[in-house]
Each structure stands twice: as C-alpha cells, then as structure tokens.
Amino acid sequence: MDQIKHNYVEINGLKLHVAEIGSESLPAVIFLHGFPEIWYTWRHQMIAISNAGFRVIAPDYRGYGLSDVPAQPENTSFFDLVKDTASILDSLAISKVFVIGKDFGSMVGYTFAVFHPEKVAGVISLGVAFRPPGSGPHQAQLPEGYYINRWKEPGRAEADFGRFDAKTVVKNIYIIFSRSEIPIANENQEIMDLVDPSTPLPSWFTEEDLAVYGDLYQKSGFQTPLQVPYRILKSKVELPKQAPKHMKVEAPTLLIMGEKDFVFGLPGTAEYIRSGEVKKYVPNLETIYLPEGSHFIHEQFPDQVNQIILNFLNCY
C-alpha cells in the first residue's frame, strides 16, 4: 500500500483525489467504486494489476472519500461523475484506458464508454449489467421497505444513519450488502435495524479496513452518496445533448457476477443476464459467474478476481 501515490486534480472548482500506482508509460486502468466504497475498495486490485504491468488509478468521486464535497451535494448528477472521469483522464494525459467498475461505478464506466468509445480499450463490470438509461431493474416490484426506496426519500436515511457514527453505518451496510437476501426493512424498521449490533464483519473485511472507511465517511458525510446513486433515481434521466442515438457499449466487455450477490436476485436481473438479452446493448460481452460471490466479490475473492481481470486485460 505504501507504493500507492495520492494526488489531486482540480476539476470544475473541486479537488478530486486520485490514488495511483504504476509508470505513466504503461497501459492505463481506471477503477470506479460503488457505495459504500471509496478508492480503498480497490486495494487488492491496484497492487496486483500494477505488478502485472499496468498504470492503475482509482479516484474518489466528488463528495466521496478524500475528494471535495460539492457546495450543493443535492444538485450532483450522475453525469457529473461521468464528466469528472473524463476530466481526470484528460488531466493525467491518458488517451486510452481500461475501465473497471463496481456496483453503480459500473454504470459510470459503461456511460463513459458510450460517450467516449475512442478512449476505451475495454470494460469490466463487477455485479452490474449494462442497461440503457430508464430501463433499470423493476424497482416497482419491490416493497416500500426496499433499501433504495428508503434512501431515495429525503431525510429518511439521514435520520437512520444519524443514530450512529460513520464507521458503524459503513459496517452495517457492508454486513447487509454481503448477504444474498435483498435488503428490505419492515414497516416499523429502518435499514440500519437490519443488523444486530453483535453481528461480526465479513471475514474478508478487517477492522483496519473499516477504520479507513469510517474516517473518510466521517470527513465526507453521506449527503453526496445519498444523492448519487440513490436520490437521482427519483427523477427522469435527462441525457446530455451529445448522447449517441444508440446507447450501446461497443468495447470488449466482461461482467463478473457473484451468484450470491443480492443484486442478482432483483426482479428480472438474472434472466436479463443469463438469457443474453443484455447483449442487445453490449454485443462484445463475456460473463463469468462466481457461485459463492457476494456484492463485494473483489474484496471477498481478490486473488480469483484479479486473475480474471488480468486474463481479460492481457487479451487486448
């Protein structure tokens, strides 16, 4: 971890943190995190991929980790993160990159690949198949207590999270999201109540890891993460004017799917992936399933995931 450098790039008046390792002359890989994650979620991958001969960067999104929090987090859009990704690569003089995303970071990566196909050598997603904007999983089939339905509601998560320190909130979310069951609270429960305080962390996530997350979420707070990805789901997706007519990911793409990831159990998701319907939008797609993989597959099985990633990167 001492080999990883920590730099900042200034974009639209915000200082965004970028963790980096590897020579500037090497092929580049950018890792895009999900929630409740930060750059540190890629710690295992950054070392392994750089040791294999790649330049690796892992930014914190605006409002996450060591990056600045926007003056008005509630106005942050999904496309701000896509534009930030492009600006980070431009500032680092990276003209071609492999994009690797996890959870909603996959959607940031996919969208970047749709808008900037000439800059993308390949795409790897952990846990999320590409869907054109507005055609996501069938959220309406899930009850009011589904965690996204709760977190979309302004003030609800703030009150729920506010009962605990940031470290406990992250711990609870890691425990909840590591399960194969879809996180759904009863009418008289909040999402944090789904975890008994005595429940231990997953075996692959240490107290030291949690301390890193807790410190940085204590710094950033949860307002931007609640806005993107959750609160933006309340509004209709407005595509930028330069959006391509056909929303397809043409780059070579790999989906690594944990079969015990709760996301895989969302209505219609497994069928969409297994049937090959997803290939209408990602024609050059390969899917690899890990039977015991959870939502945090890259932290749960780092060696296996690293090898799968390297096998893909070395093909292109």
Side-chain angles (χ1 to χ4, degrees), residues 23-275:
S23 166
E24 293 181 6
S25 64
L26 296 171
V29 178
I30 186 169
F31 285 96
L32 302 171
H33 64 78
F35 176 77
E37 296 146 346
I38 47 177
W39 76 269
Y40 182 83
T41 194
W42 300 112
R43 60 199 177 280
H44 305 300
Q45 284 68 47
M46 292 186 74
I47 301 298
I49 304 308
S50 67
N51 285 345
F54 293 86
R55 179 187 185 185
V56 178
I57 65 171
D60 286 325
Y61 301 127
R62 57 172 67 196
Y64 281 78
L66 291 166
S67 290
D68 284 350
V69 176
Q72 296 178 300
E74 67 278 7
N75 291 337
T76 303
S77 77
F78 174 77
F79 288 101
D80 285 334
L81 306 191
V82 177
K83 288 185 286 187
D84 287 348
T85 300
S87 298
I88 288 169
L89 293 172
D90 287 345
S91 72
L92 297 175
I94 295 173
S95 59
K96 196 92 170 178
V97 69
F98 289 97
V99 180
I100 303 180
K102 146 78 171 57
D103 190 61
F104 89 91
S106 296
M107 292 309 301
V108 176
Y110 286 137
T111 307
F112 178 79
V114 169
F115 279 78
H116 303 280
E118 75 286 353
K119 295 179 180 291
V120 177
V123 178
I124 300 177
S125 168
L126 279 63
V128 174
F130 176 71
R131 294 175 184 265
S135 64
H138 306 297
Q139 308 284 352
Q141 296 180 26
L142 293 158
E144 180 274 336
Y146 177 49
Y147 81 99
I148 288 181
N149 292 337
R150 290 289 180 85
W151 291 353
K152 283 194 300 187
E153 183 183 331
R156 184 86 183 241
E158 288 87 338
D160 186 14
F161 293 3
R163 298 177 291 155
F164 308 94
D165 61 19
K167 183 176 174 181
T168 302
V169 172
V170 174
K171 175 183 178 180
N172 287 351
I173 296 172
Y174 253 82
I175 290 168
I176 293 167
F177 284 10
S178 295
R179 298 167 176 165
S180 57
E181 299 83 17
I182 298 170
I184 297 172
N186 295 326
E187 187 177 351
N188 61 347
Q189 278 185 316
E190 297 299 331
I191 300 302
M192 292 291 102
D193 297 328
L194 294 176
V195 179
D196 185 290
S198 65
T199 305
L201 283 166
S203 60
W204 38 264
F205 193 73
T206 69
E207 288 289 343
E208 291 76 16
D209 295 332
L210 178 60
V212 175
Y213 279 75
D215 287 348
L216 292 185
Y217 273 99
Q218 187 67 41
K219 169 195 170 292
S220 68
F222 292 96
Q223 197 168 359
T224 312
L226 286 170
Q227 172 64 16
V228 182
Y230 302 106
R231 306 250 160 99
I232 58 168
L233 297 172
K234 291 171 68 72
S235 55
K236 184 177 182 294
V237 176
E238 295 290 345
L239 294 175
K241 290 180 182 177
Q242 71 273 28
K245 183 177 179 181
H246 301 291
M247 297 291 286
K248 286 188 176 183
V249 177
E250 300 286 359
T253 302
L254 174 66
L255 172 61
I256 306 173
M257 195 75 231
E259 294 190 81
K260 292 190 176 176
D261 186 339
F262 74 88
V263 171
F264 201 47
L266 293 175
T269 298
E271 181 183 0
Y272 175 71
I273 297 170
R274 290 195 190 277
S275 70

Side-chain angles (χ1 to χ4, degrees), residues 277-296:
E277 183 184 352
V278 61
K279 289 194 174 186
K280 291 195 297 188
Y281 310 107
V282 192
N284 299 309
L285 176 68
E286 176 190 2
T287 302
I288 292 177
Y289 300 95
L290 295 188
E292 298 301 314
S294 74
H295 191 61
F296 302 101

